[in-house]
Amino acid sequence: MTHSDDSSDFEHARYVYVERSSKAWYLLPIFLSIIGGLVSFAVLRRRDPSLARNTLVLGIIIFVLLIALIAVGSYLGSNVSESDLESDIGVFDSKVDNSSTRGSDETATALVSDSNLSAEQIKNSAVTVPYDLLIEHNSIYEGDIIHYTGHVYGVVKNKDGTSYGLKVEAYDQNDDFTNDRMIWSNYTPKTNEEKNLIDLLDKQPIISFADSSNAVNVWGTLSGLRTFDIVIESYDVPETDILILEMLATGNTLEGGITPADTLHIISYDEIPDYVDDAIVQEALHQALDAWATANPTVEFRMVDDKVDSDVNINWTKWLSGNRLGLHATRDISMDGGSEKMHSIVIRLGSEDCNSDYQQYSKDFLTYVIAHELGHYLGLRHISLNDHLMFSGDPLARADDIFTYNTHGYAIPTINGATYEFAAIANLLADASAINEELNMLVDRHEELKRQNDLVGLDDNKRRFNMLTEQRAELDRQITCIEQKTTLDDIFG
């Protein structure tokens, strides 16, 4: 048997399975703005033109937003400059005592200053006054406890050397984030924990008004107006002495330090359909329950077989209307002359791929969906923060939720979305990886057989190589067909 020397089709190649380009490329424009967009575009423009274009566009958008934020910041800073504040208050000092260990967001929540009233009494007696009325009729409200929310865009040490003035841009339902409604809020930390809160507020970057990591809830006594001399004019702002200061962090405020009481929740679920892998669904369910229980040690979940004895029953379905991934519902049932609420959760288990074949969701993806719907059962509504478990693309989840979101005392678990939406992807990628290993071995074997002048072995090696290449191409097609097409934005049941 003769053998052609023309084996250049694979003799110098090294085969590595080329997956769809990682979403991690989006991090370049996110962190490096337009520069990151240009770098990712240059690298990806031949390999993945669509992703290359998207990263470039994202880099341009972030660059424009940064320019806009700088312009807004310059405008706000021109109204109340640090030098103007120093002349009235004393030396600006952002170097707060760092000798103690910084507390967590949870320990920095709901700190109460000296007061004869309890935290509950303070909150019950507080009034929420529109900002314009605080300016126009401040004498009427002087001495009253007022409640306001907003974000801290500056921390200044007062002349007394022990208290701090927080520049809080107050939130108003009818305003956009450029409202520039400052309330000067005096706060005297007494403990290391309280100093840590000031330190945290001083150092946290302001992302934007709607989701600022410096968002706070304040209850304080109105002391009147404070006047600042700005160039040739005066600037009057309301001044309060803080009684309670809560840091809202990312919307997960514990609402005044409330912790859920010891609570037992009885869970039941319907038989898992035979068109999906039973083990994947059960693991996802237990992971979701464990996530909530771990984040909230006083809460316990117990599984029972009979839905009649349960607080909430979970049902599995192949489809849900409106492209929903899950749905929580309640109904009233008659109980000995009275009524009781019965909760039910419906979880969609998969969706179709490009060939209209039904594909089961992965364990991690189902864990997220189940945990989200359990949040609804516990009383939580949607929120517009992307990294929040209760996030939804539903237009009713408003951007200002961070200031009004009620966790009912629950700590919200953090559950990462699935690396792969469908369970089959992981298996297909494992098969593709095994094929790649053998292809690379065949490349090495080709070189060895060529040195031995083993023509029969070279032909056998090439036939095996071609067969595996075809198998890999088929795997590529399958993976592309069932790759992620549903997003967590679809959760709004």
Side-chain angles (χ1 to χ4, degrees):
M1 178 181 296
T2 61
H3 175 74
S4 170
D5 288 333
D6 184 16
S7 57
S8 61
D9 54 346
F10 71 96
E11 72 177 293
H12 299 298
R14 181 66 58 178
Y15 288 84
V16 177
Y17 173 66
V18 180
E19 300 182 28
R20 185 177 181 181
S21 299
S22 171
K23 296 295 190 299
W25 282 102
Y26 282 110
L27 295 176
L28 272 177
I30 288 174
F31 288 109
L32 299 179
S33 181
I34 194 170
I35 297 176
L38 290 171
V39 171
S40 58
F41 180 83
V43 175
L44 298 172
R45 62 191 181 90
R46 297 185 184 278
R47 186 196 316 173
D48 194 338
S50 176
L51 183 58
R53 183 177 61 255
N54 291 342
T55 54
L56 178 59
V57 171
L58 179 60
I60 294 172
I61 291 173
I62 291 177
F63 177 76
V64 172
L65 289 175
L66 287 173
I67 296 299
L69 286 173
I70 291 171
V72 171
S74 298
Y75 170 76
L76 296 177
S78 66
N79 286 335
V80 184
S81 66
E82 296 301 344
S83 59
D84 292 319
L85 293 175
E86 288 174 9
S87 64
D88 187 68
I89 298 165
V91 179
F92 177 78
D93 183 8
S94 61
K95 303 288 186 180
V96 184
D97 179 16
N98 291 312
S99 60
S100 59
T101 304
R102 175 180 295 182
S104 66
D105 286 350
E106 288 77 340
T107 60
T109 301
L111 302 180
V112 184
S113 68
D114 287 342
S115 173
N116 295 325
L117 301 176
S118 67
E120 183 178 1
Q121 289 172 324
I122 290 172
K123 291 185 177 182
N124 289 338
S125 61
V127 294
T128 301
V129 183
Y131 188 89
D132 290 342
L133 293 183
L134 287 179
I135 298 292
E136 187 176 355
H137 302 294
N138 65 91
S139 60
I140 295 176
Y141 296 102
E142 190 171 331
D144 287 350
I145 298 174
I146 64 171
H147 170 242
Y148 52 97
T149 56
H151 75 268
V152 177
Y153 64 95
V155 176
V156 177
K157 203 167 192 177
N158 285 330
K159 284 181 177 179
D160 59 19
T162 58
S163 68
Y164 294 83
L166 308 182
K167 295 181 286 182
V168 178
E169 186 171 31
Y171 171 73
D172 191 293
Q173 183 74 27
N174 299 318
D175 277 346
D176 59 22
F177 72 92
T178 60
N179 61 28
D180 196 26
R181 298 189 166 201
M182 187 180 87
I183 295 181
W184 188 263
S185 307
N186 296 307
Y187 184 68
T188 304
K190 296 292 194 303
T191 66
N192 285 336
E193 182 184 9
E194 293 175 352
K195 290 179 181 178
N196 288 335
L197 176 56
I198 295 296
D199 190 34
L200 189 63
L201 288 169
D202 191 20
K203 288 181 168 56
Q204 284 275 5
I206 297 175
I207 302 170
S208 72
F209 184 73
D211 60 355
S212 169
S213 55
N214 281 19
V216 292
N217 229 344
V218 181
W219 288 261
T221 305
L222 181 67
S223 56
L225 295 182
R226 190 181 189 96
T227 303
F228 299 100
D229 293 324
I230 308 297
V231 191
I232 60 174
E233 62 180 349
S234 294
Y235 183 50
D236 294 332
V237 303
E239 181 178 20
T240 70
D241 294 322
I242 295 176
L243 299 177
I244 300 177
L245 175 63
E246 290 183 348
M247 188 169 180
L248 277 73
T250 55
N252 295 352
T253 176
L254 297 185
E255 294 293 324
I258 298 171
T259 302
D262 292 349
T263 308
L264 174 63
H265 299 279
I266 308 299
I267 311 292
S268 65
Y269 63 90
D270 290 350
E271 183 179 353
I272 299 173
D274 57 9
Y275 54 81
V276 293
D277 186 329
D278 180 282
I280 289 178
V281 178
Q282 289 204 48
E283 283 185 51
L285 172 59
H286 287 287
Q287 280 188 182
L289 294 172
D290 288 345
W292 275 105
T294 300
N296 300 273
T298 62
V299 177
E300 179 185 355
F301 295 96
R302 184 178 301 166
M303 304 293 299
V304 297
D305 294 329
D306 192 347
K307 69 177 68 175
V308 175
D309 299 325
S310 68
D311 298 315
V312 58
N313 182 68
I314 301 176
N315 180 255
W316 319 103
T317 185
K318 204 167 190 176
W319 314 106
L320 264 178
S321 63
N323 209 30
R324 290 180 175 89
L325 299 176
L327 182 66
H328 166 257
T330 60
R331 61 187 177 91
D332 293 324
I333 58 174
S334 298
M335 297 287 293
D336 298 328
S339 65
E340 184 176 321
K341 284 196 177 298
M342 178 64 187
H343 295 263
S344 63
I345 289 175
V346 182
I347 302 295
R348 192 172 88 194
L349 294 174
S351 60
E352 290 182 343
D353 61 19
C354 70
N355 293 323
S356 298
D357 294 328
Y358 192 79
Q359 297 289 344
Q360 179 179 358
Y361 291 137
S362 68
K363 178 185 66 178
D364 291 341
F365 194 81
L366 284 174
T367 298
Y368 189 103
V369 176
I370 295 170
H372 177 102
E373 298 305 329
L374 284 170
H376 286 315
Y377 157 68
L378 295 172
L380 306 182
R381 60 184 177 87
H382 286 139
I383 193 169
S384 58
L385 300 176
N386 291 335
D387 58 351
H388 197 286
L389 176 63
M390 301 310 294
F391 166 78
S392 174
D394 184 351
L396 295 179
R398 302 176 311 179
D400 61 6
D401 280 341
I402 184 170
F403 299 112
T404 58
Y405 193 71
N406 188 355
T407 65
H408 298 288
Y410 291 104
I412 313 299
T414 300
I415 299 178
N416 296 324
T419 304
Y420 306 110
E421 179 185 346
F422 296 109
I425 289 283
N427 293 333
L428 291 174
L429 289 176
D431 292 342
S433 178
I435 288 178
N436 293 335
E437 288 186 19
E438 187 171 354
L439 283 172
N440 287 327
M441 289 174 57
L442 291 174
V443 171
D444 293 337
R445 188 163 182 264
H446 170 84
E447 297 297 329
E448 179 64 25
L449 292 171
K450 191 175 180 181
R451 283 193 295 270
Q452 296 174 1
N453 198 28
D454 185 347
L455 302 183
V456 175
L458 282 169
D459 280 340
D460 290 342
N461 196 65
K462 187 170 185 178
R463 277 195 296 272
R464 177 65 178 170
F465 180 89
N466 290 337
M467 183 185 71
L468 290 177
T469 302
E470 290 177 2
Q471 291 180 11
R472 193 189 67 178
E474 174 59 21
L475 284 173
D476 289 350
R477 187 195 65 76
Q478 293 179 43
I479 291 170
T480 301
C481 181
I482 65 174
E483 268 188 324
Q484 294 188 2
K485 64 174 184 176
T486 303
T487 69
L488 295 177
D489 291 11
D490 294 323
I491 300 181
F492 52 86

